[in-house]
Amino acid sequence: MSTLYRRLADELRAGIADGTYPTGSRLPSESELAARHGASRGTVRQAFTVLAADGLISSRKGTRRLVLGPALRQSFSQLHSFSRWAASIGETPGVRMVELVRREPTDLEAERLELSAGTRIYHLTRVRLLSGRPVMVERTAYVERIGALVGGIIADAGDESVTARLEELGVVFAHAEHTVSAITAEAEDARLLGVRPNSALLRELRRTTDPDNRPLEWSDDRYLGDAVAFTVHNSVRASTLVRSSAPSR
C-alpha cells in the first residue's frame, strides 16, 4: 500500500509539472483515482496528503483537490544569491531598485551585526523579480565596509547580482542563519509587490557571516507566499533544521 500511494503521488506530481493538471484546475476525485489505479480511497488520500504537504494541492477535504501549482523551491543546503538561484531553475532574475541609504542601525540591526556604538550601516531595499514578476522585497543591512562596496556596485550596474560582485571583490559569504515565518503583507510590501494588503507572504530573516564568523549582512526578505517554497536538508549527523518560535514583527 505504501508503495502504491507514493507511485500515485509521483504520477500526479508529474501531471502537475507537465500541465496535465494546470494550476487552478481540480484533480480527479478520490473515487475516480481509486478505480483507475485499483487502489482504496485511503491510498488516494495518502497520496493527496503528500502533495498537500509539498504545497502542490489544496488540503481541504470533501471536495476535489485544487491544483496550486509547482512552487519554486530554494534550498538552504547551499548559499546561493537570488540571481544564481533564479537562473538555476530556468527563470530570468531581475531587480527593481528602491533605495540605498547610509544610516545609523536600528537596535536589532546593531545586535545582529555586532556593531559598536556610533557605527553606521548601508541599508539596501530592492524588489526581486522572476521572469518579470515581482516575488520578493529585499531589505538588507550591510556592515559599513561591505556596504561601501555595495554602493559602488549599485552605481555601476544596479541590476546585477550584488552577492556575485562582492564575491569577485574577495568577500566570502561562508555561513548563514535563516528563520522563516508566515506573515501578511504590510502596506509597503503590498505596494512594492503589486498585491493586496494582508496577502500571504513568507518572511526570511537571514544573518550571513564570513569564514571567521564576522557578520556581513542582516536581511529581512519577504516573498509572495504562492511563489516560493523553501527546503531544508538535514541528517542525524548534521542537522540544519532548528524549530523556533516565530519572531515578533
Side-chain angles (χ1 to χ4, degrees):
M1 182 175 177
S2 62
T3 302
L4 181 55
Y5 89 78
R6 291 188 182 279
R7 285 208 311 267
L8 176 55
D10 288 342
E11 179 181 307
L12 293 171
R13 184 183 288 108
I16 292 170
D18 66 19
T20 301
Y21 305 114
T23 300
S25 67
R26 294 192 180 276
L27 292 179
S29 66
E30 289 180 4
S31 58
E32 288 177 274
L33 289 171
R36 185 184 304 173
H37 292 273
S40 69
R41 292 183 63 171
T43 297
V44 175
R45 281 193 291 271
Q46 282 185 289
F48 283 168
T49 298
V50 171
L51 297 178
D54 287 344
L56 294 176
I57 65 172
S58 63
S59 58
R60 184 178 178 182
K61 298 179 180 179
T63 61
R64 289 173 57 189
R65 306 303 174 92
L66 181 69
V67 177
L68 303 178
L72 302 176
R73 283 175 162 70
Q74 182 170 2
S75 175
F76 289 157
S77 63
Q78 295 176 305
L79 291 178
H80 284 314
S81 71
F82 180 94
S83 296
R84 286 176 181 163
W85 165 69
S88 74
I89 59 173
E91 298 279 348
T92 302
V95 62
R96 185 183 303 149
M97 183 69 182
V98 180
E99 67 173 1
L100 175 66
V101 295
R102 181 175 177 267
R103 60 166 171 76
E104 294 182 357
T106 64
D107 290 344
L108 178 60
E109 289 165 347
E111 175 191 346
R112 300 305 287 155
L113 293 174
E114 300 177 7
L115 301 176
S116 56
T119 304
R120 289 180 171 265
I121 62 163
Y122 282 79
H123 191 272
L124 175 65
T125 304
R126 301 192 295 177
V127 177
R128 307 311 301 270
L129 315 175
L130 287 180
S131 300
R133 179 194 181 195
V135 297
M136 186 260 279
V137 179
E138 171 188 64
R139 297 182 177 94
T140 306
Y142 295 95
V143 296
E144 192 163 23
R145 63 187 176 86
I146 303 300
L149 297 175
V150 172
I153 293 169
I154 296 296
D156 290 341
D159 60 348
E160 70 175 279
S161 170
V162 168
T163 301
R165 283 291 292 121
L166 287 173
E167 290 174 345
E168 291 173 6
L169 295 172
V171 178
V172 179
F173 293 86
H175 313 286
E177 301 169 358
H178 306 265
T179 302
V180 178
S181 59
I183 63 170
T184 56
E186 299 171 354
E188 180 69 1
D189 298 328
R191 183 183 69 82
L192 292 173
L193 292 170
V195 298
R196 293 180 180 275
N198 298 319
S199 296
L201 302 181
L202 282 177
R203 182 192 200 188
E204 179 202 358
L205 299 177
R206 184 182 67 258
R207 179 179 182 268
T208 311
T209 59
D210 67 13
D212 295 322
N213 214 33
R214 294 179 300 175
L216 299 173
E217 64 175 10
W218 166 249
S219 195
D220 183 337
D221 298 340
R222 302 184 179 198
Y223 293 82
L224 287 180
D226 64 351
V228 176
F230 293 95
T231 62
V232 179
H233 297 276
N234 64 322
S235 70
V236 293
R237 293 185 178 180
S239 176
T240 59
L241 175 62
V242 177
R243 292 181 179 175
S244 62
S245 300
S248 59
R249 293 175 63 182

